[in-house]
Amino acid sequence: MAKFTSNTRPNQQQQLIAFLRDKQNLTILTGAGISAGCGIPTYRDEAGNWRRPDPIQHKDFMSQNETRQRYWFRSFSGWPAFASALPSPSHRIIAEMESLKIVKLVVTQNVDRLHQKAGSLNVVDLHGRLDEVICMSCAEFISRQAVQKTLKRLNPFLFEHGNVAPDGDADVPEDAALSMVVPCCSSCGGILKPNVVFFGDTVDKVIVQRIYQQIANGDGLLIIGSSLQVFSGYRFCRRAVQQGKPVASINPGLSRGDDIIDTLIRGNSDELLSPLAHNFY
Ligand code: NAD
């Protein structure tokens, strides 16, 4: 059983503590906002507005060499900064809550692996992971780090820019993108794709059912840093509400679930969760 002491701030903090009290089978759903403080930007702002160029579509990546050239060109530049991002206080406290048997499962829409870096063990990477690349023909996995080396060997003119965009790529002038040589699978020549779910692709039904099952068996859903604009994440919020489970959202801004979520905690997750560290007993 989780109990909390708090010498803390107002309202939002108290709402969070009240929500967490006595939880022992909690599901957590995270989105890009939890990693914003780690230097990886979100797609949407606090009002829920899209603030990026159009994202890559799965069918375009699979059907157009030009789309793959642009993707790998930008990805080469952004990868080092993305790969070296470190977990936030929020990621660490969630890992602590798992070890204390408050949290049962973390479902993340992020592809940055920061929950695992923070020590969480039971994590579903709903939209995949950017540190892996998969051959779309023979399903062989290759590390993204190895692909980085191949990209450089095939395209010596590439350079690592240092900034990072939400997909782990970077905003760089694309003049040279169409002279890119895109690597293919060394075993079968198939198309290499980052092991992530691009827009327009779907999440494996078995994974979705596993999460529904956990929500049904669990004692609540805590959503952190997600606009819930992507149905893939929103459906878990809706399912938990339909089942009468307590649902809370930590977000400084608005989300698609705000009309149905019973506990809306407005704020930055690091500021709200940090005072809880080592404060469970
Ligand atoms: P989103 O960009 O649509 O929304 C981000 C949300 O985070 C916003 O509602 C914003 O108000 C909130 N936010 C910003 N700072 C916050 C903070 N400090 N604390 C709490 N909340 C904060 O993100 P989404 O809902 O996750 O959906 C976008 C999709 O983009 C996801 O499916 C994901 O796959 C992908 N994505 C992943 C990463 C990553 O891996 N880090 C980054 C960007 C986008």
Side-chain angles (χ1 to χ4, degrees):
M1 184 182 296
K3 297 209 183 298
F4 303 92
T5 56
S6 174
N7 44 6
T8 42
R9 295 177 308 161
N11 221 349
Q12 315 295 347
Q13 188 83 64
Q14 297 306 331
Q15 273 184 288
L16 176 60
I17 290 170
F19 178 81
L20 289 175
R21 185 161 289 126
D22 294 335
K23 294 287 186 299
Q24 41 196 332
N25 195 352
L26 186 64
T27 310
I28 292 195
L29 173 66
T30 64
I34 197 173
S35 299
C38 311
I40 303 173
T42 61
Y43 278 135
R44 293 183 185 78
D45 63 17
E46 293 181 6
N49 298 315
W50 187 265
R51 57 178 181 185
R52 304 282 315 151
D54 289 346
I56 298 260
Q57 295 291 324
H58 180 82
K59 71 170 174 14
D60 294 342
F61 187 92
M62 292 306 298
S63 63
Q64 300 169 359
N65 188 52
E66 187 180 318
T67 300
R68 294 193 290 276
Q69 286 176 307
R70 290 186 195 285
Y71 173 80
W72 288 114
F73 184 76
R74 295 197 309 260
S75 174
F76 181 86
S77 191
W79 168 249
F82 190 89
S84 58
L86 295 174
S88 65
S90 304
H91 292 105
R92 294 191 193 287
I93 290 154
I94 290 169
E96 185 185 346
M97 289 199 281
E98 180 184 310
S99 70
L100 293 169
K101 306 213 178 306
I102 298 165
V103 169
K104 192 67 164 261
L105 180 69
V106 178
V107 180
T108 186
Q109 299 168 87
N110 298 340
V111 294
D112 53 31
R113 302 283 289 174
L114 291 177
H115 285 293
Q116 290 87 347
K117 280 190 190 174
S120 285
L121 300 174
N122 208 5
V123 183
V124 172
D125 294 312
L126 191 66
H127 296 162
R129 47 190 289 185
L130 207 61
D131 62 347
E132 283 180 354
V133 173
I134 183 168
C135 170
M136 297 303 281
S137 297
C138 71
E140 186 170 300
F141 287 98
I142 309 157
S143 84
R144 176 64 183 78
Q145 203 56 45
V147 171
Q148 188 78 352
K149 287 191 188 140
T150 307
L151 284 164
K152 183 67 181 174
R153 183 171 49 74
L154 296 175
N155 304 279
F157 65 91
L158 287 176
F159 70 102
E160 294 170 347
H161 203 267
N163 67 12
V164 66
D167 283 328
D169 55 3
D171 295 323
V172 283
E174 290 186 12
D175 325 350
L178 297 185
S179 43
M180 275 281 291
V181 179
V182 172
C184 55
C185 175
S186 58
S187 303
C188 75
I191 292 174
L192 294 182
K193 187 180 82 60
N195 188 22
V196 299
V197 178
F198 281 138
F199 283 82
D201 194 5
T202 50
V203 175
D204 188 336
K205 286 192 177 67
V206 175
I207 294 174
V208 174
Q209 287 309 323
R210 179 185 161 206
I211 299 165
Y212 281 160
Q213 194 64 51
Q214 163 56 27
I215 288 172
N217 294 339
D219 55 14
L221 176 69
L222 175 60
I223 303 161
I224 304 174
S226 179
S227 68
L228 297 177
Q229 290 293 337
V230 181
F231 179 74
S232 168
Y234 177 67
R235 66 182 137 195
F236 301 119
C237 169
R238 204 174 60 174
R239 174 62 68 109
V241 170
Q242 282 166 350
Q243 296 196 336
K245 303 289 177 181
V247 180
S249 163
I250 301 178
N251 196 317
L254 305 175
S255 93
R256 179 185 181 183
D258 287 4
D259 289 344
I260 57 172
I261 293 171
D262 37 53
T263 305
L264 294 174
I265 305 171
R266 298 278 181 221
N268 173 311
S269 64
D270 289 341
E271 288 171 13
L272 285 159
L273 287 165
S274 290
L276 301 187
H278 317 302
N279 209 4
F280 303 95
Y281 67 93

